[in-house]
Each structure stands twice: as C-alpha cells, then as structure tokens.
Amino acid sequence: MKAARWLPQSLFGRLMLVLGSGLLLAQLLSAAINLAERDRLLLAAGGMRQAQRIADVVKLLDPLGSAERERIVAVLNVPPLVVVLADAPAPSRAADDATPRAASFAAMLLASLGEPREIRVEPAAGFERPWPPGAGHRHMMGAGPGGLPRGMGPPGPILRAQVQLRDGRWARFESELPSSSSTLPWRLALTLAVLLVAVLVLSYVAVRWVTRPLHVLAGAAEALGRDIHRPPLAEEGPLEIRQAARAFNTMQGRLVRFIEDRTRIFAAMSHDLKTPITRMRLRADLLDDDELRHRFESDLKEMEAMVTHTLEFMRGMGGQEARQDVDVMALLESLQSDNEAMGRSVTVQGQAAAPYPARVSLLKRCLGNLIDNAVLYGERATVQVEDSSPSLTLRVLDEGPGIPPSELEKVFEPFYRLEQSRSRETGGTGLGLAIARNIAHMHGGDIVLRNRPVKGLEAVLTLPRPS
C-alpha cells in the first residue's frame, strides 16, 4: 500500500507530523473546554450576584410603606439593576429558546430569598435595553467578560425578574448578566502558544535523537556493500540501538569469516591444481605429435586461466587495498597504450574534471575487462568520459553485434557466456564482466549494458563521487 503523496517520506517527518497534529488538536480542544467552563463559571457567579442583590432589595422593601418604598426604589434604580414597583405583574414575553437560563436564575433567586415567594423570571426579549450597552459592567465588581477592564465588555443577556412583596404588590427587576465571550483571552492564547512551541521543540529533539541511529545504521549498511572490512559500529546509546549495532557487527563479522574461509579454500584448491597442471605441461612437452602437444598446451592454459580468474573472483579482487586519488585520464591512456601495443584499436574521448578516490589495481582491472570485452566482440573500443559532481561515468562502446535484451543481465553471472565454447579466442572463462561489476559495487557504483541504436554494445560504468 503506497503512502499518500502529501505524507513526508522520512520517518522523522512522519513522526513530527503525527506529534504536531496531535498536539495542535489537543490544544484546540483544551482551549474550547476552558472557554466553555470559564463562561459557565462567569455566568453562575454573575447570576448569583444579581440574584442576591434582588433578594436584598426585596427584603429591604417588604417592611416599608409606599412612600418609603418609592424613595428607596429611586435610589436603587441604577444599572445593571432596574427596579420598578407595580400593582400587578407585567405580561410575559419570554423566548422559548432562553428558558433554561431563566429557570436557572429563578432557582438562584429563590435560594437567595430563603423562603417561598411568587416569582416570575423571563428573558427581557422584545423590548429595548433600559440603559446604554455596557453601562451595567461599570457597576460590576471585577473584570468584564474575557478579561476586559470594567465597562469594556460586550453587553450580556437581560433577565426580567418579578417578585411579589408581602403586601401583594410586585417589584420588577431588569438586570444584565455577564455575556459569553466568543474570543480567546490573550493570556490563555499565549499560554497555549508557549506550551505548543515548547512541546514541539522537545518533540523535535526527541524524534531526531531516536531517528539519528537509523541514519547511522543505513549509512553503515551502504558502506558495508563497498567495504566488507569497514570499522564496526559503535555499540552505544539506548538498549535497542545497542542491540541493533551489536547484531549488525555480528553479521559483518560472519560475512568476513565466510568470505575469508571461502577464499582460503579456493586458494588451497588453486595451489593444489597448479602442481598437477605443471606436471601435465612438462609431460605434454615430451609428446612427439606436435598437433596433440599443441592441444594439450591449449587446454592446460585454459585450465590455468580458469583457476587464476576464479581465485581472483573469490578473493574479492584485492578488497584490502586502500583507496587513493587516481588520475582517471592517465589510467585510460595507460590502458590505451597497452592495447595499441597488442594491435588493438582503443579511443578515449572526454575529460575527467578531478581525480577519483579508488583502489587503483581494481579500477584498472575493471576498465581493462570492459575494454577487452569490447575489442573481443566489437573489433574496437571507444571510451567516453563524463564527469560531474554527483558521479563519474565511463562509457565503453563497441561495434559488435550486441546482445539479446534478455541476456543483458545474465552475462554478469559468473561463468555465464552466450556461446558454449570456452576457447580463449571466443571470450575466455566468462568471469570478466562479473569481476568488473563486483569492482564497481565495491566502489559504490554499478555497470549496466545497453544495445546501441544502430550497432554495437554500450557498457556504462557509473562511479559516485564522495559528497
């Protein structure tokens, strides 16, 4: 299953995306819960304060006469509490959608009165505010909604409470409750922002700390393909990282021992085979039949070449050799001169911009095998040099018949040849291209074969330059 295109490609990026998205969502939910809880507490506190004030006014008016009541009402009639005396309750104009707020305020008022009373509480919908918007906040204790200074908060809902006095008259109160704020207080926003940034920074450090050993392990695995004898990984860090490094070092040690054991076996076989081959060559010299002696010598030379080339292949072609800066153009000119001395046609085109760090003997053998293959099957070889900052590319072209597309990869297999004969005149042991590709892999590169559009074969050797 392919990942979505918008997802980061690296493990670090994906972990940061998950952590950042989860943290942001949690912060938004936390802010919403805090705002809702704050509004509920503000409304409860403001409503209880107004209910207690109405109850105090009712208790004050109950024992007074009509004249005293009018005088007291005139003094108390100050926003956010408007007091009016009436012989009968005003008709109801309540809005159905605000009934829960009115019922809550009625319960607060009854609790503040401390005794059963005939009361009516309803939203003051359908009539104008009896004081300028926000005027009531200037008389309230504490800050306005949303942490605003007094008098600067938005106007809140108005409730009409009507309470029957003991003598049967009604006192009508119109009061403004604190409003619910739709904006995020700047202190809360700053707190959430600081927390978000702090956790993101810590997440970045933690994720980088966790993923860095994976980069080290990936680099070590890539380097192992180029040099089996590379230094082992440092077994340090958290337990899981130490276990992974220890397993990697154990694998590398086993591979080294396996290759060395295999090399020693073939070295012993090569040494043991050379002795009987030498004896057979001496005995072949004693043959009187020239044609038979020539056949024996040819077969013995081919056997000796197979033993030598096989040994070189199994040894890894000098993998212990240290790298050094190689003048690629000088190396190609040397190969060109050697081939011309044998009557071969080899042409070099292009220019390398800088020396290439390589194992000299191995790179020479790799290029030599490619040129030999081109001359053997294509009469002449042309080497094109293309150099850039990412890589050095060497193309070896010939003018031979080419290779069937289905065989372009098979010819890199050891001992695989397109023709059945193993004569030196028709291509040797079938190890040349296998050795050349192994050398390219040891340098971190590769070799691919392509048929040319018109005629011939193209062998492309790509060697990455160190970053």
Side-chain angles (χ1 to χ4, degrees):
M1 181 177 180
K2 294 184 178 180
R5 293 184 178 180
W6 55 269
L7 282 177
Q9 298 301 311
S10 65
L11 178 62
F12 172 80
R14 294 187 179 186
L15 287 176
M16 287 300 300
L17 177 63
V18 171
L19 290 176
S21 301
L23 181 60
L24 182 60
L25 180 60
Q27 294 286 63
L28 293 176
L29 292 176
S30 176
I33 293 173
N34 287 335
L35 281 177
E37 184 66 14
R38 186 200 63 163
D39 289 342
R40 187 187 67 80
L41 293 176
L42 281 175
L43 182 61
M48 181 58 72
R49 201 162 45 239
Q50 293 288 53
Q52 185 62 50
R53 187 176 181 186
I54 291 174
D56 292 341
V57 172
V58 170
K59 292 176 182 179
L60 177 63
L61 295 177
D62 265 338
L64 300 178
S66 297
E68 283 295 318
R69 284 178 180 176
E70 294 293 343
R71 190 166 57 251
I72 294 297
V73 167
V75 174
L76 297 177
N77 192 9
V78 177
L81 184 65
V82 174
V83 185
V84 178
L85 293 175
D87 293 331
S92 175
R93 290 177 289 182
D96 294 338
D97 57 351
T99 301
R101 187 189 297 269
S104 175
F105 188 78
M108 295 180 190
L109 181 55
L110 280 174
S112 300
L113 289 171
E115 59 178 326
R117 291 271 187 160
E118 183 72 22
I119 65 172
R120 297 179 183 181
V121 180
E122 60 185 352
F127 58 87
E128 298 293 331
R129 182 185 302 272
W131 54 83
H137 293 288
R138 289 192 287 270
H139 299 271
M140 295 177 65
M141 299 299 293
L148 296 173
R150 296 174 184 173
M152 297 182 64
I158 302 174
L159 288 181
R160 171 182 291 173
Q162 301 181 84
V163 183
Q164 188 176 33
L165 302 178
R166 289 178 180 174
D167 61 358
R169 297 197 70 189
W170 287 79
R172 187 175 66 208
F173 302 88
E174 292 175 357
S175 59
E176 181 179 356
L177 298 182
S179 62
S180 299
S181 175
S182 60
T183 60
L184 189 66
W186 68 270
R187 286 188 178 90
L188 178 59
L190 181 61
T191 301
L192 294 178
V194 171
L195 180 60
L196 178 64
V197 172
V199 176
L200 283 179
V201 171
L202 292 176
S203 300
Y204 175 85
V205 174
V207 172
R208 177 64 67 183
W209 184 40
V210 170
T211 57
R212 184 178 178 277
L214 297 179
H215 291 286
V216 175
L217 187 62
E222 183 178 358
L224 184 65
R226 296 192 297 267
D227 183 9
I228 192 65
H229 298 283
R230 63 173 305 279
L233 284 175
E235 297 179 11
E236 57 187 14
L239 176 62
E240 293 80 4
I241 301 302
R242 294 200 304 271
Q243 291 176 342
R246 189 177 302 115
F248 185 88
N249 292 335
T250 301
M251 177 192 69
Q252 179 180 351
R254 289 173 178 171
L255 288 175
V256 170
R257 288 193 298 273
F258 174 75
I259 293 176
E260 290 178 348
D261 291 344
R262 190 173 61 168
T263 301
R264 282 194 294 269
I265 292 173
F266 276 87
M269 291 176 59
S270 174
H271 180 271
D272 292 343
L273 285 173
K274 285 183 177 180
T275 301
I277 290 175
T278 302
R279 289 200 303 265
M280 293 174 66
R281 181 176 297 168
L282 292 174
R283 293 170 182 172
D285 289 338
L286 300 177
L287 294 175
D288 296 331
D289 190 333
D290 294 339
E291 182 180 356
L292 184 59
R293 184 174 65 251
H294 176 73
R295 290 180 180 178
F296 268 106
E297 290 177 350
S298 177
D299 290 341
L300 291 172
K301 286 181 181 180
E302 184 174 352
M303 291 174 61
E304 189 173 13
M306 291 178 63
V307 170
T308 303
H309 291 170
T310 302
L311 182 61
E312 289 176 352
F313 180 76
M314 300 307 298
R315 282 178 176 172
M317 295 77 66
Q320 301 282 0
E321 182 182 355
R323 290 195 181 207
Q324 56 182 303
D325 290 339
V326 178
D327 187 339
V328 177
M329 300 310 298
L331 179 61
L332 289 175
E333 290 173 359
S334 173
L335 291 171
Q336 181 184 27
S337 177
D338 292 343
N339 279 274
E340 288 177 348
M342 294 185 291
R344 297 176 171 182
S345 175
V346 177
T347 305
V348 179
Q349 301 174 352
Q351 186 70 33
Y356 182 80
R359 298 177 174 94
V360 183
S361 62
L362 297 186
L363 184 57
K364 184 176 182 179
R365 173 175 290 277
C366 176
L367 291 171
N369 287 359
L370 294 179
I371 293 175
D372 285 344
N373 195 69
V375 173
L376 180 65
Y377 291 101
E379 300 179 358
R380 58 180 58 87
T382 300
V383 183
Q384 297 178 349
V385 183
E386 299 175 6
D387 201 355
S388 62
S389 55
S391 62
L392 172 67
T393 303
L394 302 171
R395 303 177 185 273
V396 181
L397 293 76
D398 64 46
E399 299 180 4
I403 296 177
S406 60
E407 306 288 331
L408 289 175
E409 277 298 315
K410 292 182 179 180
V411 294
F412 286 105
E413 298 176 6
F415 302 108
Y416 183 85
R417 295 174 65 245
L418 293 175
E419 50 190 320
Q420 298 300 320
S421 171
R422 290 185 178 270
S423 170
R424 293 296 298 172
E425 287 74 22
T426 57
T429 60
L431 286 171
L433 289 177
I435 293 174
R437 174 171 271 189
N438 275 358
I439 294 174
H441 287 171
M442 291 176 63
H443 289 83
D446 196 9
I447 297 176
V448 295
L449 296 180
R450 300 171 185 157
N451 286 309
R452 300 175 65 186
V454 180
K455 180 183 179 182
L457 189 69
E458 176 186 26
V460 183
L461 169 62
T462 304
L463 300 172
R465 285 194 174 276
S467 56

